[in-house]
């Protein structure tokens, strides 16, 4: 299960240089919270995102908890855009952030936008300003944690 994470970074053009994001789409399922998201970059700069769902009886029992339909993927919403971490800098890496984490909040507010908009938002901050970013606090993870407590 992808767990929520909180990171604090200082706006600094040199430090933030290694941080990149990727536009993705959430399929509206709880199963997504149990998927391993792998982001790779080729030597030519091509980014590839692979999602590998973890499907086993334990995960299925969490998805089925509180659901009217068993053996499903746990659809709770429709497809929605989201932003993934494509590459990290040293500071975020030391705070446990990994490629494939989902950006859910920026400076205390839910983040709904594109990878480009998030990069521009970070770049627009004053040098030395403290930034807070929350990862993996999305609907899929919240619902998975809620249902896990019922099992």
């Amino acid at each position: 299960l992808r767990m929520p994470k909180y990171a604090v970074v200082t706006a600094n053009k040199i430090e933030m240089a290694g941080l990149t994001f990727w536009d993705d789409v959430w399929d509206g399922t709880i199963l997504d919270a149990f998927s391993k998201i792998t982001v790779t970059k080729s030597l030519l700069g091509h980014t590839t995102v692979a999602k590998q769902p973890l499907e086993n009886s334990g995960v299925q029992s969490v998805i089925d908890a509180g659901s009217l339909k068993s053996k499903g993927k746990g659809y709770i919403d429709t497809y929605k855009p989201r932003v993934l971490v494509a590459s990290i800098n040293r500071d975020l890496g030391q705070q446990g952030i990994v490629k494939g984490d989902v950006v859910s909040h920026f400076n205390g507010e839910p983040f709904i936008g594109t990878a480009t908009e998030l990069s521009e938002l970070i770049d627009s901050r004053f040098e030395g300003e403290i930034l807070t970013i929350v990862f993996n606090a999305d609907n899929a993870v919240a619902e998975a944690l809620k249902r896990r407590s019922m099992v």
Side-chain angles (χ1 to χ4, degrees):
L1 176 61
R2 230 178 13 254
M3 295 301 286
K5 302 172 187 174
Y6 177 83
V8 178
V9 293
T10 303
N12 178 318
K13 302 288 186 229
I14 295 169
E15 292 281 325
M16 302 305 273
L19 183 61
T20 60
F21 303 100
W22 185 258
D23 289 319
D24 186 52
V25 176
W26 172 48
D27 66 3
T29 67
I30 299 168
L31 182 61
D32 177 81
F34 293 96
S35 297
K36 179 178 181 180
I37 301 173
T38 307
V39 180
T40 55
K41 249 185 197 175
S42 72
L43 293 175
L44 300 175
H46 179 72
T47 301
T48 304
V49 175
K51 298 174 191 171
Q52 183 177 1
L54 176 64
E55 298 185 70
N56 61 42
S57 60
V59 169
Q60 193 62 55
S61 68
V62 170
I63 292 171
D64 291 345
S67 177
L68 299 175
K69 180 182 172 190
S70 64
K71 304 296 182 201
K73 293 185 178 185
Y75 283 95
I76 58 170
D77 210 336
T78 57
Y79 282 75
K80 297 215 184 295
R82 65 181 178 186
V83 174
L84 304 176
V85 176
S87 63
I88 58 171
N89 61 21
R90 182 174 175 237
D91 191 23
L92 286 176
Q94 289 176 336
Q95 294 182 61
I97 308 308
V98 297
K99 294 189 288 185
D101 279 343
V102 178
V103 177
S104 54
H105 295 77
F106 180 77
N107 279 351
E109 298 293 326
F111 179 76
I112 301 169
T114 66
T116 300
E117 290 168 341
L118 181 58
S119 294
E120 289 171 354
L121 191 58
I122 291 170
D123 290 344
S124 72
R125 299 302 181 191
F126 295 109
E127 193 80 13
E129 185 177 345
I130 302 299
L131 310 177
T132 60
I133 307 171
V134 177
F135 303 88
N136 306 325
D138 53 29
N139 290 343
V141 172
E143 186 65 23
L145 290 170
K146 177 181 158 187
R147 291 186 185 198
R148 188 170 78 174
S149 72
M150 296 178 195
V151 176

